[in-house]
Amino acid sequence: MRYADQGFLTYTGVKHRLEIYANGQAVMKLTVTPERICSGVLCMSAKTFNLRYLSPEYPPELLAHVLAGEPIFGGVGIQHNGLGVIQKITQEGRYAIEYRVLNGSVIFRDTINHILIEIRKEE
């Protein structure tokens, strides 16, 4: 999956709904819980989603935590500052993650797996 357009992220209870638009058309809709991720009628476990689209090394609940701006990997490597939190998590050859939750924005970057998730809160 590769999208670099705008979208909407909504949260209802334990579910996140992510809709990405390009040229005014919905190109991707995901419903995300810590256990399951659904795209339209196709649902899979979060573990399977990670295996297919992200990295098999990630914990299943990773995407749900990123969308919520919550600590990942149980808070390993977390650093607090006045604007939010930063986590740097590395396992040689598997992932090199820098995760920032600052000023209402979320940036998840894994340079080994070439993954970037960026969420900016529009005012």
Side-chain angles (χ1 to χ4, degrees), residues 32-46:
V32 179
T33 69
E35 299 84 27
R36 299 193 65 71
I37 299 174
C38 299
S39 176
V41 295
L42 175 65
C43 289
M44 63 187 80
S45 71

Side-chain angles (χ1 to χ4, degrees), residues 67-121:
L67 295 178
E70 298 171 344
I72 57 174
F73 286 84
V76 169
I78 198 164
Q79 302 167 8
H80 296 271
N81 66 29
L83 302 174
V85 298
I86 299 171
Q87 281 182 264
K88 293 183 181 183
I89 308 163
T90 302
Q91 189 167 10
E92 192 171 330
R94 295 182 176 184
Y95 48 78
I97 297 168
E98 184 171 313
Y99 177 59
R100 297 174 176 267
V101 181
L102 303 168
N103 292 331
S105 293
V106 175
I107 299 172
F108 173 93
R109 181 184 315 267
D110 180 346
T111 55
I112 290 179
N113 292 294
H114 308 289
I115 296 170
L116 172 65
I117 300 170
E118 186 172 353
I119 303 167
R120 281 186 257 154
K121 187 176 182 180

